[in-house]
Amino acid sequence: MADNNNNRDEEVLDKGDDVREGEELDGEAVSVWLRGQGLDVKGDPIITQFAGGASNWTYRLQYNILNKDNSLNENNSPDKNQDLILRRPPKGTKAKSAHDMVREYTVQQALAGVYPYVPKTLALCTDETVIGADFYVMERLEGIIPRANLPKSLDLDSTQIRKLCTNVIDALIELHQVDYQHHPDLVALGRGAGYCERQVTGWDKRYVKAKTPNTPSFALVRQWLNNHIPKDSKTCIIHNDWRFDNVVLDPNDPTQVIGVLDWEMATLGDPLMDLGSALAYWIEADDNAIMQQARRQPTHLEGMMTRDEVVEYYLSKSGLKLDNWAFYEVFGLFRLAGIIQQIYYRYYNKQTSNPAFKNFWIINHVLHAKCLKLIAKHEGEAMFMSYVQPHLQDRGIDAATIKQLPSPLQAVIKSVLPKAYFKQEIDDDSKNTDE
């Protein structure tokens, strides 16, 4: 029985894959540097790489897992000297601020004493002669990362899934309650007040700059967001990329969170903006097929909270109040569209050939429709349509434009948008039938 449990553990633990071509890491140079920092690493590491590619590159360095005859130890682990994670920016990064290793390292060091889920950082290198870029090293948290689907051998029932979901949201609430004001490195993270306005104007500009001819302008969405910017609910530490695949679960109890990863976008900001951005990734079981295909966390499972339930739970635990949740939800979707569009822009302009980015433009059409539906619900459909209908041609979402999209995408968008969007189309079809 014990052997079966060990095999099960090995199956569910998050592991790296082969290093991607063109993203090789000089293990010998890293090892020499680590020893110079006083870390007791022996021999050369076995290097693997974690999934990703659109953000910072993440490697696993396993030291001293070989026997004297160079054969692997049983389970690759009994005599491990060090099991480390190395993070570095992608090659060719022009803006250091987008992949700031010093900032990411500093955030985790500063949070280490006040937030229990931060991995232990070990060393920061700003000497680019070592591997050609800044990097830092931290201890590896051995656990489960819940990606689009949980490991097949991890059979959790709906009660356990609900507990997992609750614990992940509780970890976010706990982060938002950290008292940062007594730590200079945390105080220096952001500008604080005015965060909502800066985010809306910033993502507005970034989306316009990255727009391609085959994607919607989001003009009406951007205008609505700019006209409904709320005052900050409060200022706190926010993660800014909160997803299930950025948390590590206890392999002995997969409902428990033992770590939170990827702190590159952490800053001082509005916690409701952090929640809205997190829910943009929250795909439910009955969401449309295109969003299901884009899903990257297991929020579709029976037992998971719905987006509305998450908001209700978060507000009840945090004590925060709000007047217009639609703003935060629409912003989260628009921000996600901006992130996707920036990546797709690189693919469209042949700056990358990664096939994973090929259909990102389709996702943005659906995100656009979702934003418009939420706005219509908030404003009242009749009032919204009387305002929007005369400008549909300018907004790139009129019936004629939708007819130019692939049929499956048309069907999804029509299932999302208010039916009044297609009233003119229906009337015209009826008229043509009568004639």
Side-chain angles (χ1 to χ4, degrees), residues 162 165 169 275-288 291-292 295 297 299-300 304-315 322 325 328-330 332-333 367 370 373-374 377 416:
R162 176 57 64 117
C165 178
I169 301 304
L275 181 63
S277 296
L279 290 186
Y281 293 96
W282 200 281
I283 309 303
E284 298 175 9
D286 59 352
D287 281 334
N288 64 70
M291 297 312 297
Q292 292 293 345
R295 181 175 53 77
Q297 56 182 7
T299 46
H300 66 302
M304 284 285 178
M305 297 183 196
T306 64
R307 289 181 290 269
D308 288 343
E309 287 173 336
V310 171
V311 175
E312 182 179 356
Y313 180 82
Y314 180 92
L315 294 176
L322 54 80
W325 172 248
Y328 301 99
E329 194 168 9
V330 171
L333 292 169
L367 290 175
K370 286 172 68 71
K373 183 175 183 178
L374 288 169
K377 181 179 179 181
V416 174

Side-chain angles (χ1 to χ4, degrees), residues 87-343:
R87 295 259 292 170
R88 60 149 292 169
K91 289 180 181 176
T93 303
K94 294 182 179 179
K96 269 197 171 185
S97 60
H99 302 276
D100 190 337
M101 296 292 98
V102 176
R103 187 177 187 278
E104 188 173 332
Y105 179 84
T106 302
V107 168
Q108 291 180 85
Q109 277 217 315
L111 281 172
V114 292
Y115 188 64
Y117 306 115
V118 180
K120 182 180 179 181
T121 51
L122 299 174
L124 169 69
C125 179
T126 56
D127 180 359
E128 294 191 4
T129 65
V130 178
I131 63 168
D134 292 349
F135 67 90
Y136 72 89
V137 176
M138 60 185 178
E139 289 185 352
R140 172 178 173 257
L141 284 174
E142 187 170 84
I144 304 163
I145 295 182
R147 303 188 188 279
N149 297 294
L150 293 177
K152 291 182 180 179
S153 60
L154 195 65
D155 187 20
L156 301 183
D157 61 32
S158 59
T159 301
Q160 292 171 305
I161 293 292
R162 176 57 64 117
K163 186 177 179 183
L164 164 61
C165 178
T166 302
N167 287 339
V168 169
I169 301 304
D170 282 343
L172 177 63
I173 294 170
E174 189 173 347
L175 175 66
H176 291 167
Q177 293 174 340
V178 166
D179 183 2
Y180 69 90
Q181 295 179 332
H182 301 295
H183 201 302
D185 286 336
L186 295 178
V187 171
L189 278 181
R191 289 181 280 173
Y195 180 81
C196 294
E197 182 175 4
R198 289 195 301 274
Q199 285 291 293
V200 170
T201 56
W203 281 107
D204 188 311
K205 293 175 183 176
R206 285 189 281 275
Y207 188 88
V208 170
K209 186 176 180 179
K211 188 189 176 312
T212 50
N214 58 345
T215 52
S217 70
F218 278 83
L220 181 67
V221 176
R222 289 162 32 224
Q223 183 184 63
W224 186 86
L225 285 170
N226 273 284
N227 290 339
H228 290 80
I229 298 174
K231 294 181 179 179
D232 294 353
S233 62
K234 75 171 190 176
T235 297
C236 66
I237 301 292
I238 63 174
H239 184 273
N240 235 348
D241 197 20
W242 192 269
R243 304 191 310 264
F244 277 76
D245 58 345
N246 276 338
V247 302
V248 183
L249 306 180
D250 186 341
N252 297 313
D253 181 359
T255 68
Q256 299 297 321
V257 177
I258 61 172
V260 176
L261 308 174
D262 290 3
W263 293 91
E264 60 191 286
M265 293 194 286
T267 188
L268 294 182
D270 188 318
L272 295 179
M273 295 285 269
D274 207 12
L275 181 63
S277 296
L279 290 186
Y281 293 96
W282 200 281
I283 309 303
E284 298 175 9
D286 59 352
D287 281 334
N288 64 70
I290 291 177
M291 297 312 297
Q292 292 293 345
Q293 292 171 7
R295 181 175 53 77
R296 57 184 302 171
Q297 56 182 7
T299 46
H300 66 302
L301 296 177
E302 184 180 354
M304 284 285 178
M305 297 183 196
T306 64
R307 289 181 290 269
D308 288 343
E309 287 173 336
V310 171
V311 175
E312 182 179 356
Y313 180 82
Y314 180 92
L315 294 176
S316 69
K317 291 292 291 285
S318 68
L320 292 177
K321 308 291 183 184
L322 54 80
D323 296 321
N324 179 11
W325 172 248
F327 169 84
Y328 301 99
E329 194 168 9
V330 171
F331 169 77
L333 292 169
F334 174 60
R335 175 181 177 269
L336 176 57
I339 293 170
I340 289 173
Q341 189 62 36
Q342 288 177 320
I343 297 170

